[in-house]
Amino acid sequence: MTADKHAKRAARNLAAREGISYAAARRRLAAAPVDVDQEHQEPRPPVAVPMVSAPCPEGCEGSGHPGTACWAWRPADVGSGTSWAVRRAAELPGGRAEQLAERVERPWQKTPGGPWASFHAWDDRWLLALVYAMLTDQRPELRPDRGALRAAVEADDLAAVDALLEPLDRAAARLTTKVPAVWWGEVKPLLDAYADDVESDDGRDLLVVSWQEVEARHVVGRLVDRWRKAWVPVRNHNGYMDPPGVMWIVVKEWLDARLVDQHGGHAPGARVRLGDGRPAVVRAVEWGEDGPPVAYRVRELEPGRHGNVGRLVPSLTSDVLVPAADCREDRPCGVCGRTAGMAEALCDDCAPRVAPDRPGRAVGGLQSPERPSGRVPE
């Protein structure tokens, strides 16, 4: 895709310089086997420039190895003494996105039914990579210092890598959301505009100066292709033409879990008590410029009515933004000492559950108090 952009730019320059049409300029450039010097109009053969045999030190400008191209250090250039997780966590944009997704999804896949529940979320980790690419392109200050990042990777220190990339993770967490209105009204249009910017020459200097920049632009182009493909209608299993879309809510959850692990707070899925004592479950975390969470987006818990009587379940219509100071840990269970968010201070394992359609029948291996067991205790 990058080579095609250069060809379009060269055709426009040639058409403007010689007063010919754009199509004629494209045909002339396609028929010419060699490059053309735009200043002297003389053909010159391409020149192969060798690269140095090892990554250059930070700040190298090529004066120390004349006649050879620089090789800027990348996380993939470290030796075998560094773990794979550290190398991938430092590699932007795809490696970092894959590593954060793996931290959250891998433990879930080890639970019963986990592989089925997290398969689609893991498959859409490219969306986080696209968010990283957009933020680093539009805000270069979010990129970590290359020298400090190299030292952290060579020291095999995952915590140091996370600390250097925290500004980028925090910016991505503040951009992404779990609110449908915000996604469709704000976040998706931003990604659409970035995809348009990548696919066009407007507002972007595509005169790359190194092979590594060409490779980086190719990676971004592949991410944009995935984004475009996600919104092309295809025939689904019901026979309707619908775009496959992307599971955009999981990106916010991955970033929240990563930042909560570093700064503390309530991770998504944690049960809390609001300031007035109502139980709730954390759905998403709101972050400030730095420090711990500033607010939580929660769903209130309500008594179950469909096969889960005696338990509190999240209300699907509840979406409340609560300041962090008004959310506290749920009080311990009066029976087993654990926290579960039950109105009767009983955890899910201790609370008796009775099916509403057949009174007296135990559900989940627990005996109903209305019909005691006929077994005589020894």
Side-chain angles (χ1 to χ4, degrees):
M1 185 176 65
T2 304
D4 185 62
K5 292 178 181 178
H6 288 304
K8 291 179 180 178
R9 173 173 293 179
R12 288 196 298 267
N13 294 337
L14 182 60
R17 185 172 60 251
E18 297 190 6
I20 60 178
S21 65
Y22 174 81
R26 288 298 298 265
R27 288 194 297 268
R28 181 180 299 183
L29 291 176
V34 296
D35 194 6
V36 177
D37 191 336
Q38 297 182 5
E39 182 178 357
H40 301 91
Q41 296 295 313
E42 296 179 358
R44 53 182 176 85
V47 178
V49 179
M51 294 186 304
V52 294
S53 58
C56 298
E58 189 63 25
C60 178
E61 299 178 354
S63 58
H65 47 83
T68 56
C70 286
W71 182 351
W73 177 86
R74 301 174 301 174
D77 297 329
V78 297
S80 58
T82 303
S83 63
W84 173 255
V86 174
R87 280 183 284 177
R88 293 296 286 170
E91 184 178 348
L92 292 173
R96 179 71 179 174
E98 180 179 344
Q99 215 279 328
L100 287 191
E102 185 174 358
R103 295 186 196 182
V104 180
E105 298 297 329
R106 289 302 183 191
W108 288 353
Q109 290 182 351
K110 297 179 181 179
T111 61
W116 304 101
S118 59
F119 172 77
H120 294 290
W122 171 260
D123 195 46
D124 289 338
R125 59 191 180 275
W126 60 267
L127 179 60
L128 179 55
L130 181 62
V131 172
Y132 280 150
M134 181 183 69
L135 290 174
T136 52
D137 279 353
Q138 297 177 351
R139 301 173 58 185
E141 68 275 8
L142 294 177
R143 289 184 174 273
D145 180 72
R146 190 185 297 269
L149 185 63
R150 180 175 184 175
V153 173
E154 292 178 348
D156 199 16
D157 191 349
L158 182 59
V161 173
D162 287 344
L164 290 172
L165 290 168
E166 180 189 350
L168 179 60
D169 292 338
R170 187 178 291 268
R174 298 181 65 183
L175 174 66
T176 54
T177 181
K178 285 189 176 181
V179 181
V182 177
W183 164 258
W184 295 106
E186 300 179 14
V187 182
K188 186 178 182 296
L190 287 177
L191 292 172
D192 286 334
Y194 175 69
D196 295 338
D197 190 28
V198 170
E199 293 176 341
S200 66
D201 296 341
D202 299 335
R204 183 180 298 276
D205 184 11
L206 294 176
L207 297 178
V208 295
V209 296
S210 69
W211 61 272
Q212 290 174 318
E213 293 182 7
V214 174
E215 187 178 82
R217 300 316 306 168
H218 175 71
V219 171
V220 175
R222 294 290 299 273
L223 293 174
V224 171
D225 292 341
R226 292 288 300 270
W227 173 258
R228 296 300 194 195
K229 186 178 179 180
W231 307 108
V232 175
V234 296
R235 193 172 302 278
N236 58 21
H237 63 281
N238 291 324
Y240 296 99
M241 298 295 293
D242 287 323
V246 60
M247 194 173 292
W248 46 270
I249 61 174
V250 297
V251 174
K252 174 66 173 173
E253 187 159 338
W254 294 339
L255 293 167
D256 287 344
R258 175 261 179 278
L259 292 173
V260 166
D261 184 63
Q262 179 177 352
H263 295 282
H266 308 299
R271 291 192 175 184
V272 296
R273 290 278 178 174
L274 304 183
D276 55 2
R278 291 175 298 164
V281 61
V282 175
R283 177 165 170 79
V285 187
E286 301 295 330
W287 301 92
E289 293 292 340
D290 53 15
V294 297
Y296 296 96
R297 191 169 294 276
V298 302
R299 281 183 171 176
E300 298 182 46
L301 297 178
E302 59 184 13
R305 294 172 295 176
H306 306 286
N308 48 15
V309 176
R311 303 180 64 183
L312 293 180
V313 296
S315 173
L316 298 181
T317 59
S318 173
D319 189 2
V320 184
L321 186 63
V322 182
D326 293 340
C327 289
R328 66 179 189 274
E329 288 286 348
D330 198 4
R331 64 177 180 268
C333 172
V335 176
C336 66
R338 292 183 293 177
T339 58
M342 296 298 298
E344 302 82 10
L346 294 178
C347 66
D348 293 343
D349 296 331
C350 297
R353 290 173 289 163
V354 182
D357 55 339
R358 299 183 63 180
R361 181 180 178 182
V363 179
L366 299 176
Q367 185 67 27
S368 168
E370 301 177 4
R371 186 176 179 179
S373 173
R375 181 180 178 182
V376 179
E378 298 179 359

PDB file of all heavy atoms in Angstrom, residues 317-339:
ATOM      1  N   THR A 317     -30.200  -2.975  32.388  1.00  0.00           N
ATOM      2  CA  THR A 317     -30.611  -1.612  32.044  1.00  0.00           C
ATOM      3  C   THR A 317     -29.938  -0.564  32.915  1.00  0.00           C
ATOM      4  O   THR A 317     -30.213   0.624  32.766  1.00  0.00           O
ATOM      5  CB  THR A 317     -32.133  -1.475  32.176  1.00  0.00           C
ATOM      6  OG1 THR A 317     -32.528  -1.777  33.524  1.00  0.00           O
ATOM      7  CG2 THR A 317     -32.841  -2.417  31.215  1.00  0.00           C
ATOM      8  N   SER A 318     -29.074  -0.976  33.818  1.00  0.00           N
ATOM      9  CA  SER A 318     -28.421  -0.042  34.731  1.00  0.00           C
ATOM     10  C   SER A 318     -27.031   0.297  34.213  1.00  0.00           C
ATOM     11  O   SER A 318     -26.267  -0.582  33.814  1.00  0.00           O
ATOM     12  CB  SER A 318     -28.323  -0.649  36.135  1.00  0.00           C
ATOM     13  OG  SER A 318     -27.561   0.177  36.986  1.00  0.00           O
ATOM     14  N   ASP A 319     -26.713   1.576  34.199  1.00  0.00           N
ATOM     15  CA  ASP A 319     -25.388   2.048  33.796  1.00  0.00           C
ATOM     16  C   ASP A 319     -25.146   3.371  34.509  1.00  0.00           C
ATOM     17  O   ASP A 319     -25.563   4.430  34.047  1.00  0.00           O
ATOM     18  CB  ASP A 319     -25.309   2.212  32.280  1.00  0.00           C
ATOM     19  CG  ASP A 319     -23.889   2.478  31.808  1.00  0.00           C
ATOM     20  OD1 ASP A 319     -22.981   2.501  32.654  1.00  0.00           O
ATOM     21  OD2 ASP A 319     -23.695   2.663  30.594  1.00  0.00           O
ATOM     22  N   VAL A 320     -24.476   3.301  35.654  1.00  0.00           N
ATOM     23  CA  VAL A 320     -24.320   4.456  36.531  1.00  0.00           C
ATOM     24  C   VAL A 320     -22.842   4.800  36.636  1.00  0.00           C
ATOM     25  O   VAL A 320     -22.000   3.913  36.822  1.00  0.00           O
ATOM     26  CB  VAL A 320     -24.903   4.175  37.932  1.00  0.00           C
ATOM     27  CG1 VAL A 320     -24.820   5.418  38.805  1.00  0.00           C
ATOM     28  CG2 VAL A 320     -26.344   3.687  37.824  1.00  0.00           C
ATOM     29  N   LEU A 321     -22.523   6.078  36.516  1.00  0.00           N
ATOM     30  CA  LEU A 321     -21.161   6.566  36.700  1.00  0.00           C
ATOM     31  C   LEU A 321     -21.026   7.078  38.128  1.00  0.00           C
ATOM     32  O   LEU A 321     -21.690   8.041  38.519  1.00  0.00           O
ATOM     33  CB  LEU A 321     -20.845   7.671  35.694  1.00  0.00           C
ATOM     34  CG  LEU A 321     -19.400   8.174  35.676  1.00  0.00           C
ATOM     35  CD1 LEU A 321     -18.451   7.052  35.277  1.00  0.00           C
ATOM     36  CD2 LEU A 321     -19.251   9.358  34.726  1.00  0.00           C
ATOM     37  N   VAL A 322     -20.170   6.417  38.912  1.00  0.00           N
ATOM     38  CA  VAL A 322     -20.043   6.707  40.337  1.00  0.00           C
ATOM     39  C   VAL A 322     -18.608   7.143  40.619  1.00  0.00           C
ATOM     40  O   VAL A 322     -17.663   6.515  40.129  1.00  0.00           O
ATOM     41  CB  VAL A 322     -20.396   5.462  41.177  1.00  0.00           C
ATOM     42  CG1 VAL A 322     -20.316   5.773  42.657  1.00  0.00           C
ATOM     43  CG2 VAL A 322     -21.776   4.953  40.810  1.00  0.00           C
ATOM     44  N   PRO A 323     -18.407   8.207  41.401  1.00  0.00           N
ATOM     45  CA  PRO A 323     -17.033   8.581  41.779  1.00  0.00           C
ATOM     46  C   PRO A 323     -16.344   7.460  42.535  1.00  0.00           C
ATOM     47  O   PRO A 323     -16.983   6.652  43.221  1.00  0.00           O
ATOM     48  CB  PRO A 323     -17.231   9.826  42.651  1.00  0.00           C
ATOM     49  CG  PRO A 323     -18.569  10.363  42.256  1.00  0.00           C
ATOM     50  CD  PRO A 323     -19.400   9.179  41.884  1.00  0.00           C
ATOM     51  N   ALA A 324     -15.039   7.415  42.409  1.00  0.00           N
ATOM     52  CA  ALA A 324     -14.281   6.333  43.045  1.00  0.00           C
ATOM     53  C   ALA A 324     -14.432   6.358  44.558  1.00  0.00           C
ATOM     54  O   ALA A 324     -14.402   5.309  45.209  1.00  0.00           O
ATOM     55  CB  ALA A 324     -12.810   6.433  42.651  1.00  0.00           C
ATOM     56  N   ALA A 325     -14.608   7.545  45.146  1.00  0.00           N
ATOM     57  CA  ALA A 325     -14.742   7.631  46.599  1.00  0.00           C
ATOM     58  C   ALA A 325     -16.035   7.005  47.097  1.00  0.00           C
ATOM     59  O   ALA A 325     -16.130   6.643  48.278  1.00  0.00           O
ATOM     60  CB  ALA A 325     -14.665   9.090  47.042  1.00  0.00           C
ATOM     61  N   ASP A 326     -17.044   6.870  46.237  1.00  0.00           N
ATOM     62  CA  ASP A 326     -18.329   6.304  46.643  1.00  0.00           C
ATOM     63  C   ASP A 326     -18.419   4.807  46.397  1.00  0.00           C
ATOM     64  O   ASP A 326     -19.492   4.223  46.591  1.00  0.00           O
ATOM     65  CB  ASP A 326     -19.470   7.008  45.900  1.00  0.00           C
ATOM     66  CG  ASP A 326     -19.612   8.456  46.319  1.00  0.00           C
ATOM     67  OD1 ASP A 326     -19.121   8.799  47.412  1.00  0.00           O
ATOM     68  OD2 ASP A 326     -20.195   9.247  45.553  1.00  0.00           O
ATOM     69  N   CYS A 327     -17.345   4.182  45.943  1.00  0.00           N
ATOM     70  CA  CYS A 327     -17.325   2.734  45.730  1.00  0.00           C
ATOM     71  C   CYS A 327     -16.360   2.107  46.724  1.00  0.00           C
ATOM     72  O   CYS A 327     -15.197   2.507  46.803  1.00  0.00           O
ATOM     73  CB  CYS A 327     -16.893   2.394  44.301  1.00  0.00           C
ATOM     74  SG  CYS A 327     -18.115   2.788  43.048  1.00  0.00           S
ATOM     75  N   ARG A 328     -16.846   1.135  47.464  1.00  0.00           N
ATOM     76  CA  ARG A 328     -15.997   0.456  48.432  1.00  0.00           C
ATOM     77  C   ARG A 328     -16.149  -1.050  48.257  1.00  0.00           C
ATOM     78  O   ARG A 328     -17.102  -1.530  47.633  1.00  0.00           O
ATOM     79  CB  ARG A 328     -16.364   0.859  49.857  1.00  0.00           C
ATOM     80  CG  ARG A 328     -17.743   0.420  50.302  1.00  0.00           C
ATOM     81  CD  ARG A 328     -18.025   0.825  51.739  1.00  0.00           C
ATOM     82  NE  ARG A 328     -19.255   0.243  52.257  1.00  0.00           N
ATOM     83  CZ  ARG A 328     -20.445   0.767  52.113  1.00  0.00           C
ATOM     84  NH1 ARG A 328     -20.582   1.903  51.457  1.00  0.00           N
ATOM     85  NH2 ARG A 328     -21.512   0.170  52.626  1.00  0.00           N
ATOM     86  N   GLU A 329     -15.229  -1.767  48.818  1.00  0.00           N
ATOM     87  CA  GLU A 329     -15.290  -3.219  48.741  1.00  0.00           C
ATOM     88  C   GLU A 329     -16.554  -3.741  49.408  1.00  0.00           C
ATOM     89  O   GLU A 329     -17.015  -3.202  50.421  1.00  0.00           O
ATOM     90  CB  GLU A 329     -14.063  -3.830  49.429  1.00  0.00           C
ATOM     91  CG  GLU A 329     -12.768  -3.649  48.665  1.00  0.00           C
ATOM     92  CD  GLU A 329     -12.673  -4.542  47.448  1.00  0.00           C
ATOM     93  OE1 GLU A 329     -13.505  -5.469  47.322  1.00  0.00           O
ATOM     94  OE2 GLU A 329     -11.781  -4.313  46.621  1.00  0.00           O
ATOM     95  N   ASP A 330     -17.119  -4.797  48.843  1.00  0.00           N
ATOM     96  CA  ASP A 330     -18.304  -5.400  49.432  1.00  0.00           C
ATOM     97  C   ASP A 330     -17.940  -6.012  50.784  1.00  0.00           C
ATOM     98  O   ASP A 330     -16.848  -6.559  50.956  1.00  0.00           O
ATOM     99  CB  ASP A 330     -18.844  -6.477  48.491  1.00  0.00           C
ATOM    100  CG  ASP A 330     -20.274  -6.829  48.812  1.00  0.00           C
ATOM    101  OD1 ASP A 330     -20.853  -6.179  49.704  1.00  0.00           O
ATOM    102  OD2 ASP A 330     -20.810  -7.747  48.174  1.00  0.00           O
ATOM    103  N   ARG A 331     -18.870  -5.908  51.739  1.00  0.00           N
ATOM    104  CA  ARG A 331     -18.577  -6.420  53.078  1.00  0.00           C
ATOM    105  C   ARG A 331     -18.487  -7.940  53.058  1.00  0.00           C
ATOM    106  O   ARG A 331     -19.139  -8.610  52.248  1.00  0.00           O
ATOM    107  CB  ARG A 331     -19.648  -5.969  54.065  1.00  0.00           C
ATOM    108  CG  ARG A 331     -21.034  -6.502  53.787  1.00  0.00           C
ATOM    109  CD  ARG A 331     -21.997  -6.050  54.871  1.00  0.00           C
ATOM    110  NE  ARG A 331     -23.341  -6.556  54.638  1.00  0.00           N
ATOM    111  CZ  ARG A 331     -24.268  -5.908  53.968  1.00  0.00           C
ATOM    112  NH1 ARG A 331     -23.996  -4.725  53.453  1.00  0.00           N
ATOM    113  NH2 ARG A 331     -25.469  -6.429  53.800  1.00  0.00           N
ATOM    114  N   PRO A 332     -17.724  -8.528  53.949  1.00  0.00           N
ATOM    115  CA  PRO A 332     -17.561  -9.989  53.953  1.00  0.00           C
ATOM    116  C   PRO A 332     -18.866 -10.701  54.263  1.00  0.00           C
ATOM    117  O   PRO A 332     -19.751 -10.185  54.937  1.00  0.00           O
ATOM    118  CB  PRO A 332     -16.519 -10.228  55.053  1.00  0.00           C
ATOM    119  CG  PRO A 332     -15.837  -8.921  55.235  1.00  0.00           C
ATOM    120  CD  PRO A 332     -16.860  -7.872  54.927  1.00  0.00           C
ATOM    121  N   CYS A 333     -18.962 -11.914  53.766  1.00  0.00           N
ATOM    122  CA  CYS A 333     -20.127 -12.751  54.016  1.00  0.00           C
ATOM    123  C   CYS A 333     -20.166 -13.150  55.493  1.00  0.00           C
ATOM    124  O   CYS A 333     -19.141 -13.489  56.090  1.00  0.00           O
ATOM    125  CB  CYS A 333     -20.068 -13.987  53.125  1.00  0.00           C
ATOM    126  SG  CYS A 333     -21.317 -15.225  53.496  1.00  0.00           S
ATOM    127  N   GLY A 334     -21.364 -13.124  56.083  1.00  0.00           N
ATOM    128  CA  GLY A 334     -21.499 -13.487  57.476  1.00  0.00           C
ATOM    129  C   GLY A 334     -21.337 -14.965  57.739  1.00  0.00           C
ATOM    130  O   GLY A 334     -21.197 -15.381  58.889  1.00  0.00           O
ATOM    131  N   VAL A 335     -21.339 -15.802  56.698  1.00  0.00           N
ATOM    132  CA  VAL A 335     -21.233 -17.247  56.867  1.00  0.00           C
ATOM    133  C   VAL A 335     -19.821 -17.736  56.584  1.00  0.00           C
ATOM    134  O   VAL A 335     -19.212 -18.428  57.396  1.00  0.00           O
ATOM    135  CB  VAL A 335     -22.249 -17.971  55.959  1.00  0.00           C
ATOM    136  CG1 VAL A 335     -22.083 -19.486  56.060  1.00  0.00           C
ATOM    137  CG2 VAL A 335     -23.663 -17.561  56.331  1.00  0.00           C
ATOM    138  N   CYS A 336     -19.304 -17.355  55.422  1.00  0.00           N
ATOM    139  CA  CYS A 336     -17.999 -17.890  55.027  1.00  0.00           C
ATOM    140  C   CYS A 336     -16.903 -16.843  55.031  1.00  0.00           C
ATOM    141  O   CYS A 336     -15.746 -17.172  54.791  1.00  0.00           O
ATOM    142  CB  CYS A 336     -18.085 -18.526  53.641  1.00  0.00           C
ATOM    143  SG  CYS A 336     -18.434 -17.341  52.324  1.00  0.00           S
ATOM    144  N   GLY A 337     -17.233 -15.585  55.275  1.00  0.00           N
ATOM    145  CA  GLY A 337     -16.217 -14.556  55.336  1.00  0.00           C
ATOM    146  C   GLY A 337     -15.808 -13.978  54.000  1.00  0.00           C
ATOM    147  O   GLY A 337     -14.959 -13.092  53.950  1.00  0.00           O
ATOM    148  N   ARG A 338     -16.411 -14.439  52.909  1.00  0.00           N
ATOM    149  CA  ARG A 338     -16.071 -13.912  51.595  1.00  0.00           C
ATOM    150  C   ARG A 338     -17.041 -12.810  51.197  1.00  0.00           C
ATOM    151  O   ARG A 338     -18.090 -12.636  51.806  1.00  0.00           O
ATOM    152  CB  ARG A 338     -16.086 -15.033  50.553  1.00  0.00           C
ATOM    153  CG  ARG A 338     -14.964 -16.040  50.744  1.00  0.00           C
ATOM    154  CD  ARG A 338     -14.970 -17.078  49.654  1.00  0.00           C
ATOM    155  NE  ARG A 338     -16.160 -17.926  49.727  1.00  0.00           N
ATOM    156  CZ  ARG A 338     -16.441 -18.876  48.849  1.00  0.00           C
ATOM    157  NH1 ARG A 338     -15.625 -19.091  47.833  1.00  0.00           N
ATOM    158  NH2 ARG A 338     -17.524 -19.607  48.975  1.00  0.00           N
ATOM    159  N   THR A 339     -16.679 -12.071  50.157  1.00  0.00           N
ATOM    160  CA  THR A 339     -17.541 -11.011  49.659  1.00  0.00           C
ATOM    161  C   THR A 339     -18.278 -11.508  48.435  1.00  0.00           C
ATOM    162  O   THR A 339     -17.695 -12.114  47.549  1.00  0.00           O
ATOM    163  CB  THR A 339     -16.710  -9.779  49.286  1.00  0.00           C
ATOM    164  OG1 THR A 339     -15.744 -10.157  48.307  1.00  0.00           O
ATOM    165  CG2 THR A 339     -16.011  -9.207  50.497  1.00  0.00           C
TER     166      THR A 339
END
